Amino acid sequence: MTTVVFEALRMRRRRTRRSRGFGVTGIVATAVVGLAVLAALLAPVIAPYDPNEVDFGLTYRPMEPWALLGTDGSGRDILSRLMYGARTSLLGPAVVVLVAAVVGTLLALVAAISGGWVDRILSRIFDIGFAFPGLLLAILAVSVLGPGFTTAVLALAIAYIPFIARIVRSVAVGEMSLPYLSALVTVGQSRTRIAGRHLLPAVMPTVLAQSTISFGYAMVDLAALSFLGLGVQPPDADWGLMISEGQRGVLQGYWEEATFAGLAIVIVVAAVSLIGDRLADRVSLNREGR
């Protein structure tokens, strides 16, 4: 009797969580990310000034109607640099996640559909890659190839592949154990066809959820590289670089540049993480309900 009651309560909670959907928090988070993307896309149109226009007569001006967020140590408009900085700050993580998701998913499907020694070797490679810090790999790559946005993005993309591949592989292996896929293998259907028509659609929700979560991590890592002078190079606008350049202002009592750039990163990463959590919850609930 206790078991029946517990199962009924669990099913009720599951239905309640499903009915909530994204909820108000998820909608707000999506709106925040949408505004950041719009600011990046429309920066050439809506930014009040050229982000690289230097005027040493206007250095460290406070927030005023003509400069809503003030100016930096070179007299450049902070709001304009934030808008233009959103382009690299959002594009970089998007490329990292896209490359890692595509390559990681393909490797995970190969491991799951092949099984045997292929799966064991790829799984060990995933484990080794997962244990190696992505930021450290990016720093090593930049040290060898030189600082720059492209180098940092490609290095992080390679580092993020094992993270996505491990999770997708575990889901794909679980799918392969289901009766309908086992039956398709038994009757001799091509493994490539099984992977493309049945396995890939089954793991795509997991890929989407993990990619969204990884976006936030990639954004922080790229901002850290720019902060260290290994990512985006001056005079280009980037949120991580703005924090680095704003340090001098903070020491002199001018907090605007570093603070607003830091807030932009925190807000966008928090919003993306909330969206990723909601997607992960949906994937988990759908798997429980099967």
Side-chain angles (χ1 to χ4, degrees):
M1 180 65 180
T2 303
T3 304
V4 174
V5 173
F6 176 77
E7 183 64 22
L9 291 173
R10 189 169 69 88
M11 293 297 292
R12 181 179 179 182
R13 286 198 301 270
R14 183 187 302 166
R15 287 194 297 268
T16 301
R17 289 171 66 187
R18 279 178 175 165
S19 64
R20 290 175 184 169
F22 251 34
V24 176
T25 304
I27 294 173
V28 172
T30 304
V32 168
V33 175
L35 287 175
V37 172
L38 283 177
L41 293 175
L42 300 178
V45 178
I46 63 177
Y49 303 102
D50 183 338
N52 297 326
E53 183 179 352
V54 175
D55 188 343
F56 291 107
L58 298 175
T59 59
Y60 294 130
R61 297 300 296 269
M63 292 181 285
E64 299 178 7
W66 63 270
L68 295 179
L69 301 183
T71 62
D72 64 8
S74 299
R76 297 172 299 191
D77 182 60
I78 294 176
L79 177 59
S80 299
R81 289 184 65 77
L82 279 176
M83 291 180 178
Y84 275 89
R87 310 181 103 183
T88 55
S89 299
L90 296 177
L91 177 62
V95 174
V96 168
V97 169
L98 179 61
V99 173
V102 171
V103 178
T105 300
L106 289 176
L107 292 175
L109 292 181
V110 170
I113 202 74
S114 300
W117 64 270
V118 174
D119 183 27
R120 288 193 294 272
I121 291 176
L122 287 176
S123 296
R124 296 296 79 78
I125 293 174
F126 297 158
D127 293 339
I128 294 172
F130 184 76
F132 197 82
L135 188 58
L136 179 57
L137 176 62
I139 292 175
L140 291 175
V142 170
S143 300
V144 174
L145 301 176
F149 176 73
T150 302
T151 303
V153 167
L154 291 180
L156 278 180
I158 294 172
Y160 274 57
I161 289 173
F163 175 73
I164 294 179
R166 287 176 80 245
I167 297 173
V168 176
R169 176 206 162 270
S170 65
V171 175
V173 169
E175 290 290 332
M176 285 299 298
S177 65
L178 296 178
Y180 83 100
L181 286 181
S182 300
L184 291 175
V185 174
T186 302
V187 300
Q189 187 164 138
S190 168
R191 291 181 180 269
T192 303
R193 185 180 181 86
I194 293 174
R197 296 196 60 181
H198 303 283
L199 203 53
L200 181 59
V203 303
M204 278 308 296
T206 300
V207 173
L208 179 60
Q210 293 304 318
S211 297
T212 306
I213 294 173
S214 298
F215 184 95
Y217 290 111
M219 188 172 186
V220 172
D221 286 344
L222 287 173
L225 289 172
S226 294
F227 177 84
L228 295 172
L230 303 176
V232 176
Q233 299 297 298
D236 292 338
D238 177 80
W239 292 347
L241 184 60
M242 289 179 68
I243 296 176
S244 178
E245 294 176 339
Q247 287 184 105
R248 295 187 297 271
V250 171
L251 295 176
Q252 300 176 46
Y254 303 104
W255 52 268
E256 290 88 352
E257 182 179 13
T259 301
F260 287 126
L263 283 175
I265 294 174
V266 170
I267 291 172
V268 173
V269 169
V272 172
S273 298
L274 285 172
I275 295 172
D277 288 342
R278 294 296 187 275
L279 292 174
D281 286 343
R282 285 194 169 191
V283 171
S284 177
L285 288 171
N286 289 336
R287 292 186 64 80
E288 288 177 9
R290 293 175 61 174

